[in-house]
Amino acid sequence: MNFNKQNTILDSFYHWEKNTPDAIFLKQPFGDTFKDFTWKEAVGQARKIAAYLKSLGLPRKSNIALVSKNCAEWIISDMAILMADHVSVPLYPTLTAEQINQVLVHSESKVAIFGKIDDWEEMKPGIPKDLKCISFPTYNPDPEHIQWNAILANTEGIKEDFKPKLEDLMTIIYTSGTTGNPKGVMMDFNAHTQVMLGAREYSKMDNRNTRFFSYLPLCHIAERNLVESTAIISGGTIYFAENLDTFAQNLVNAHPTHFLAVPRIWTKFQQGILGKLSQSKLDILLKIPIVSSLIKAKVVKGLGLQDAYLTLTGAAPMPISTILWFRKLGIIIQEAYGMTENMGAMSCMPRENIKDGYVGKIYPYQEVKIDENSGEILGKSPWNMIGYYREPELTKKTLDDDGWLHTGDVGELDSNGYLKITGRVKEMYKTSKGEYIAPSKIEVLFGVDPVIDQICLIGQSLPQPIALVVLSEAGLKLSEKEIKANFIKLLEEINPVLKTYERVKKIVIVKEQWTVENNKLTPTFKIKRNFIEKEFAPRSEGWYEAPETIIYE
């Protein structure tokens, strides 16, 4: 399809229904088998769900919430909401009752579609009593809800191809809430069209026979753009992950052409490989010409990435050492940078001209400048948000009168348009010595150590920072003596390259892993720094004054 600036994602959706009706669009795993959805079947179901939504008599552009883990019905629902001339409001399926209530009330959603949720009984008390609810089939549907299959059986699908105006509101995307309540980012159809065209060179959306593996939350802008939108525009096939236990096999079955993973996932892949083959042995084998090729092919195929020609990372800082480690195996990871407020698209690393230490080259049609006073990265593009839903004051703080989006990130821009992130405006803190610390810049340096799974620097009231560390699976196998020796050596390597006031004074090994469930990680696996700092701050001075350099919580 010749996707152009006058098209919306619905044009592509209708195009494949008419031109390749029997091609497989969605593949939903159930154990060792798949339930396949052709383009004709998927669009046909969307037409019926859209007809049902229209039958409710809601005002046009009503907000419809979508709450589910990734699955075929998620994509179908998202398109159905747009086809019914409503606004899609996707929400994280891991929210607590209190959190889901806050966003459903704030978004003024008129209907909510629920699906694959791990703990529905935990979430259910937060659902407003007057909210009309629909349940997907298969995934423990709530009997009190309107049932998906009943709609399909009793509804005639809309026959016309509804075409929204480019300036119409398309979606409200709630941020993951790393620093407080989530904010509803409003995007129109034009922003979506423009970002897909601006990212065309990088996304490879014009390629045929594209395959995607969907497992990161589809309510997050990165997955929604790279997987849902690129698949629909390219006419590709989306494979889903069934659950955590089947993830590895699901990925192998998909062997995607496009693959996105946040740094934590890449680290898990690396740890899994090193759990089967030590680093020293791997280094030796990679130096032997014929054996090296065989090892690389086996590792890449074992991950399911043998056909991937677009391999991305984003959402959090990625250690250069990890990128270089995978590159030795023939996996070229391209960093991408953006935020929900600019459709996740400010820069992307070109595969053919990589500059390590940077988060890519600025996209076409994207303007970037660095604030002279704060060093903050500012961006202006056709896909900047309209604003935050029902939050005019917050909108003014983020999107200025001249149309510049204030990212909150501190960075540098070189003469060739490559962007480097050096910290966060709000995350930077002043030590008791009056010096500013950018924690993420230091944390990345510790990412080289396979013993570390997670790290967070704290120390607003201290002369120098303390590193809170969660051990990896490899680290948990080591003795306390080995751990302490490892970390002493690590500090001796890292501290000399830091400024005096940045040097890490102590490493504290914490007992509990940080997860989405205990509110220490966002659903996209970024650490919730504020929550972690708040919990551990009362003990930080005691640790700082302790005689040991390496401390167990």
Side-chain angles (χ1 to χ4, degrees):
M1 177 185 177
N2 182 26
F3 188 79
N4 59 59
K5 62 183 181 180
Q6 299 303 318
N7 294 144
T8 71
I9 192 170
L10 286 179
D11 289 306
S12 296
F13 202 48
Y14 303 139
H15 172 86
W16 301 116
E17 176 196 30
K18 292 176 176 61
N19 289 275
T20 58
D22 298 323
I24 302 300
F25 171 38
L26 306 170
K27 291 184 74 71
Q28 183 67 48
F30 292 96
D32 296 329
T33 63
F34 286 95
K35 180 179 180 181
D36 292 344
F37 294 75
T38 64
W39 283 98
K40 181 179 180 180
E41 290 167 337
V43 182
Q45 288 196 16
R47 289 183 182 279
K48 290 187 175 185
I49 300 300
Y52 174 76
L53 292 174
K54 287 179 75 67
S55 74
L56 299 177
L58 302 172
R60 71 178 295 265
K61 294 302 169 191
S62 290
N63 297 336
I64 310 293
L66 174 53
V67 192
S68 174
K69 284 190 168 184
N70 302 13
C71 59
E73 288 85 1
W74 197 106
I75 304 284
I76 294 168
S77 296
D78 196 33
M79 292 297 101
I81 292 167
L82 304 184
M83 292 165 70
D85 197 17
H86 294 313
V87 179
S88 176
V89 186
L91 303 174
Y92 285 99
T94 52
L95 297 177
T96 64
E98 181 182 1
Q99 291 167 336
I100 193 73
N101 183 267
Q102 189 271 323
V103 287
L104 285 173
V105 171
H106 184 272
S107 67
E108 301 177 305
S109 292
K110 305 298 184 186
V111 178
I113 305 175
F114 294 95
K116 199 175 181 183
I117 297 169
D118 285 340
D119 195 345
W120 168 244
E121 293 305 318
E122 160 66 23
M123 181 184 285
K124 187 175 180 178
I127 310 305
K129 300 299 182 185
D130 59 346
L131 187 69
K132 186 176 288 293
C133 299
I134 300 169
S135 266
F136 286 172
T138 310
Y139 312 108
N140 303 313
D142 191 307
E144 297 177 11
H145 292 177
I146 298 151
Q147 299 302 303
W148 180 277
N149 283 342
I151 295 174
L152 298 184
N154 300 304
T155 307
E156 184 176 351
I158 56 174
K159 292 183 169 56
E160 71 279 4
D161 292 350
F162 170 71
K163 294 182 180 288
K165 295 177 181 178
L166 287 169
E167 63 270 22
D168 283 349
L169 183 62
M170 171 181 166
T171 186
I172 301 173
I173 309 166
Y174 276 82
T175 60
S176 54
T178 54
T179 56
N181 282 338
K183 299 182 287 291
V185 176
M186 296 185 289
M187 289 292 181
D188 58 23
F189 282 92
N190 182 61
H192 179 269
T193 293
Q194 294 290 345
V195 77
M196 295 311 295
L197 292 173
R200 188 172 221 148
E201 178 184 346
Y202 296 97
S203 68
K204 312 292 184 186
M205 71 180 194
D206 294 322
N207 292 16
R208 296 292 293 124
N209 300 317
T210 51
R211 292 187 304 282
F212 304 80
F213 181 60
S214 183
Y215 69 102
L216 292 172
L218 270 165
C219 55
H220 188 271
I221 190 62
E223 185 86 352
R224 204 157 171 219
N225 278 351
L226 180 72
V227 174
E228 181 188 39
S229 297
T230 308
I232 290 175
I233 293 170
S234 67
T237 303
I238 301 175
Y239 290 69
F240 296 92
E242 185 175 12
N243 55 54
L244 195 59
D245 293 335
T246 64
F247 175 90
Q249 187 57 53
N250 294 153
L251 177 53
V252 169
N253 289 341
H255 52 99
T257 58
H258 293 59
F259 182 70
L260 166 67
V262 295
R264 182 161 169 74
I265 299 295
W266 288 114
T267 300
K268 289 292 185 184
F269 285 167
Q270 183 184 32
Q271 291 172 354
I273 294 166
L274 293 177
K276 298 174 183 176
L277 189 63
S278 70
Q279 185 66 63
S280 57
K281 190 172 182 179
L282 180 61
D283 290 339
I284 292 170
L285 294 174
L286 289 177
K287 291 177 182 177
I288 305 171
I290 297 177
V291 175
S292 175
S293 298
L294 293 173
I295 287 293
K296 290 177 183 178
K298 185 174 181 180
V299 169
V300 174
K301 188 174 182 180
L303 290 174
L305 300 179
Q306 68 272 26
D307 294 336
Y309 49 74
L310 180 63
T311 312
L312 294 174
T313 190
M318 179 83 151
I320 298 174
S321 58
T322 306
I323 291 175
L324 295 175
W325 190 88
F326 278 100
R327 199 179 298 164
K328 287 180 181 178
L329 294 172
I331 299 174
I332 311 300
I333 300 174
Q334 297 167 247
E335 285 201 81
Y337 166 73
M339 53 197 297
T340 308
E341 290 83 346
N342 62 9
M343 297 290 282
M346 183 169 272
S347 67
C348 187
M349 189 64 69
R351 184 181 176 93
E352 296 76 20
N353 196 8
I354 288 174
K355 188 170 184 177
D356 291 320
Y358 289 73
V359 292
K361 197 170 184 178
I362 301 304
Y363 279 114
Y365 317 117
Q366 171 80 252
E367 294 179 66
V368 172
K369 67 179 182 180
I370 307 297
D371 185 273
E372 293 179 359
N373 298 316
S374 65
E376 184 178 13
I377 301 166
L378 309 180
K380 184 187 288 188
S381 71
W383 50 85
N384 276 0
M385 69 172 180
I386 299 169
Y388 295 122
Y389 187 64
R390 298 177 62 198
E391 301 287 355
E393 294 305 315
L394 282 176
T395 299
K396 288 179 183 178
K397 290 179 181 178
T398 305
L399 198 61
D400 67 29
D401 292 339
D402 296 321
W404 289 98
L405 181 73
H406 292 244
T407 66
D409 287 315
V410 177
E412 301 168 4
L413 186 66
D414 77 2
S415 58
N416 294 315
Y418 284 83
L419 185 64
K420 176 186 284 189
I421 309 298
T422 58
R424 286 281 297 169
V425 174
K426 290 182 180 179
E427 285 182 358
M428 292 180 71
Y429 67 85
K430 189 183 289 187
T431 69
S432 61
K433 293 179 180 179
E435 302 284 1
Y436 281 98
I437 300 288
S440 59
K441 181 182 73 174
I442 301 170
E443 289 162 357
V444 169
L445 298 176
F446 284 83
V448 300
D449 192 342
V451 169
I452 296 175
D453 186 31
Q454 298 165 306
I455 182 168
C456 179
L457 253 66
I458 64 171
Q460 287 198 12
S461 61
L462 306 174
Q464 287 174 244
I466 284 177
L468 304 177
V469 163
V470 176
L471 296 177
S472 66
E473 291 183 16
L476 291 171
K477 295 176 183 177
L478 300 178
S479 67
E480 184 174 323
K481 182 178 179 180
E482 289 172 317
I483 290 289
K484 289 185 175 181
N486 177 81
F487 284 154
I488 291 292
K489 183 180 178 184
L490 189 63
L491 289 175
E492 289 172 349
E493 292 172 352
I494 291 176
N495 276 338
V497 304
L498 299 173
K499 295 172 183 175
T500 305
Y501 58 84
E502 292 178 324
R503 292 174 182 171
V504 176
K505 182 76 170 178
K506 309 279 182 176
I507 293 180
V508 178
I509 301 159
V510 302
K511 297 175 183 176
E512 185 182 37
Q513 189 177 56
W514 302 328
T515 66
V516 175
E517 289 70 27
N518 62 27
N519 206 31
K520 300 296 194 306
L521 295 182
T522 71
T524 52
F525 308 119
K526 290 183 282 190
I527 62 169
K528 287 190 171 182
R529 191 178 301 279
N530 290 356
F531 291 89
I532 294 171
E533 286 180 346
K534 184 177 180 181
E535 178 174 326
F536 291 102
R539 288 183 279 173
S540 63
E541 286 192 28
W543 286 330
Y544 191 88
E545 298 299 334
E548 305 93 346
T549 302
I550 312 303
I551 301 168
Y552 276 81
E553 183 189 5

